[in-house]
Amino acid sequence: MREPAFWYRPRSLESHALQPLGLLYGAITERRMLRKGFDAGIPVICVGNYHVGGAGKTPTVLALTKLLRELGETPVVLSRGYGGRLTGPVMVDRMRHTASDIGDEPLMMVRDVPVTVARDRLDGVALAKSQGATVILMDDGFQNPRLLKDASLIVIDSERGLGNGKVFPAGPLRAPLKAQLARTDALVLIGNGHAADDVAAELAKHNKPELRARLQPDAASLAQLFGKRVFAFAGIGDPERFFRTLRASGIETVRTRPFADHHMFTDNEIAALAAEAQREQLTLVTTEKDLARLRGRDGVPDGIVPFAVELEFDDPAKLRQLISDQLYKARERRFVRR
C-alpha cells in the first residue's frame, strides 16, 4: 500500500473521521499483545516498528547479524515472507527462490545470513534450530504474540518519527504507543533528525536505551555511480529517504519515481523507466530491496544499478553491551526455569 499523506500531518479531517476505527483496531491489537508467547528454547531478538511501513529494519537485522557472529553466535533470521506466495516453513535459497516466492526482504538478507520464511512464525522455529541457530533474529512481528521475545529493538526514522501518533487507519501506529513502549527494550533511531526524541525520552525514564545509527553508502556503489546523472526509483516504505541518501552521498539525482512499498514491478513499468532514462541519458538506480523483486528466474534487467547501504551505529560498544546483556538474561531465565 502507499501510505496516506495525512498520516504525517498534525491534524486532518481524514484522521479525525477514522479515529473511531483506529481506537477499535488499537484495542484489539493491544489485547492480543498481552498473550503469552511460545518459548523457542533459544534467545529471540525481535527487530520491529511501532508503525506501518519501513524505517530501516532490514539494515538493522544485518548489522545485528554481524555483531552476533562477532559474539560467537549463529543467528538465523525468521521472517513472515511478506509479499511471497510460500507459507513455509522453508529455508530461503537464492538460486531457487524469487521475491514472488518468499518476499523481497528474505531474498535480500539471505546473501548474508540464513533466513527461514514461515507465515506462522512458530512453524519456522524448529527449522531455524535445525540449521544450528543459537539465536533467532525476528524480522518484524513485534506486535505478534505467537513467539516469546527475549528482546525487542524498535526502529524509527528519526526524521519522520511516528507521524500524527494515531493508530491505523487514522495514523501509522500498529497499536497504542503506550502499550508498545511497555514491551520495548531499546530504540534504534536512524538518521540525524529529532522527530522521535520524545519517544526516546519516555523510554529513558524506564532505563531503556536509545541507539543512534546512520545509513552509510557502500563504497562500491558510490564508485559505480560517481560522476553519473541518475534516475532513482524505489518501492519501499519511505522512498524519499532513499532519494535523500543518494543526494547526501553526492550523487546527482536528476529524476525520482516513488512506488508503493513492496511494489511488484511489471515488465512494462521497467521498460518505461528504462526508456525515460535513455532519453535523458540517465543511469537507473534503485535499492537492493527493489532489486530483489526485480530479480526473476533470468536475473536482473540490464542497466539498473543497485545502491547498497549499511547501518553504522554511533556507539557500537553500547550496542554490543546491550545485546550481550540481553543474551545473558535470556539464557539465565531459561536455566532458572529448568
Side-chain angles (χ1 to χ4, degrees):
M1 64 172 283
R2 193 186 295 273
E3 62 186 30
F6 71 80
W7 280 1
Y8 287 87
R9 292 201 297 264
R11 293 183 180 88
S12 72
L13 290 175
E14 298 99 324
S15 178
H16 183 73
L18 291 169
Q19 192 159 358
L21 281 176
L23 291 172
L24 177 61
Y25 182 92
I28 293 171
T29 307
E30 182 175 1
R31 184 173 180 179
R32 186 167 172 256
M33 289 172 68
L34 292 173
R35 297 177 191 167
K36 187 176 180 180
F38 173 79
D39 188 347
I42 59 175
V44 174
I45 298 174
C46 176
V47 178
N49 292 139
Y50 290 149
H51 60 294
V52 176
K57 289 190 301 293
T58 301
T60 304
V61 168
L62 294 175
L64 289 177
T65 294
K66 183 178 178 181
L67 172 59
L68 286 167
R69 285 175 173 157
E70 290 173 359
L71 293 172
E73 304 288 346
T74 304
V76 172
V77 171
L78 178 58
S79 171
R80 188 174 178 272
Y82 181 85
R85 63 179 181 82
L86 298 181
T87 59
V90 60
M91 293 302 300
V92 177
D93 184 339
R94 189 171 169 81
M95 301 303 294
R96 184 163 58 95
H97 294 130
T98 64
S100 61
D101 295 324
I102 43 81
D104 51 11
E105 289 160 348
L107 197 62
M108 174 184 166
M109 291 187 289
V110 77
R111 295 176 308 173
D112 299 291
V113 59
V115 181
T116 301
V117 162
R119 199 63 50 87
D120 184 331
R121 290 180 174 89
L122 290 193
D123 292 340
V125 169
L127 183 55
K129 292 171 73 173
S130 75
Q131 303 299 305
T134 62
V135 178
I136 289 176
L137 272 175
M138 275 186 69
D139 177 31
D140 210 358
F142 173 64
Q143 294 79 12
N144 189 307
R146 290 278 284 165
L147 189 58
L148 176 68
K149 304 164 189 70
D150 293 288
S152 293
L153 278 65
I154 300 301
V155 183
I156 302 179
D157 183 328
S158 67
E159 295 184 17
R160 299 185 86 207
L162 300 177
N164 62 14
K166 298 184 185 301
V167 177
F168 179 89
L173 293 186
R174 298 182 180 186
L177 183 58
K178 185 177 180 180
Q180 300 196 82
L181 288 170
R183 291 161 179 78
T184 301
D185 294 287
L187 282 184
V188 178
L189 302 181
I190 298 180
N192 300 313
H194 299 282
D197 286 0
D198 55 341
V199 181
E202 189 63 32
L203 277 176
K205 295 176 184 177
H206 303 281
N207 296 316
K208 295 179 179 179
E210 66 173 274
L211 301 159
R212 291 275 176 175
R214 277 150 246 299
L215 292 170
Q216 300 293 352
D218 175 71
S221 292
L222 283 177
Q224 195 170 4
L225 294 170
F226 179 75
K228 294 181 179 178
R229 301 165 68 247
V230 308
F231 180 1
F233 69 97
I236 56 176
D238 182 11
E240 291 301 327
R241 183 182 60 187
F242 170 58
F243 304 148
R244 289 196 303 269
T245 301
L246 285 171
R247 294 186 177 108
S249 301
I251 296 169
E252 186 179 357
T253 308
V254 178
R255 282 193 178 278
T256 61
R257 187 71 47 82
F259 292 86
D261 195 13
H262 299 284
H263 180 75
M264 297 302 290
F265 296 96
T266 66
D267 292 342
N268 287 340
E269 285 173 331
I270 295 303
L273 288 169
E276 189 173 347
Q278 188 174 25
R279 279 196 304 271
E280 300 190 36
Q281 297 183 310
L282 304 177
T283 298
L284 275 178
V285 61
T286 193
T287 70
E288 289 191 298
K289 189 186 294 188
D290 286 291
L291 197 72
R293 291 196 303 282
L294 290 168
R295 186 182 299 278
R297 306 289 179 188
D298 301 321
V300 178
D302 292 336
I304 300 176
V305 177
F307 186 74
V309 295
E310 289 185 1
L311 191 65
E312 292 187 2
F313 285 83
D314 291 0
D315 191 346
K318 184 178 180 180
L319 174 66
R320 186 184 184 95
Q321 189 63 56
L322 171 72
I323 297 301
S324 296
D325 289 347
Q326 294 295 339
L327 291 175
Y328 177 81
K329 291 175 184 177
R331 289 177 172 131
E332 184 180 43
R333 283 193 294 268
R334 289 180 175 87
F335 179 78
V336 169
R337 286 200 296 263
R338 288 178 183 175

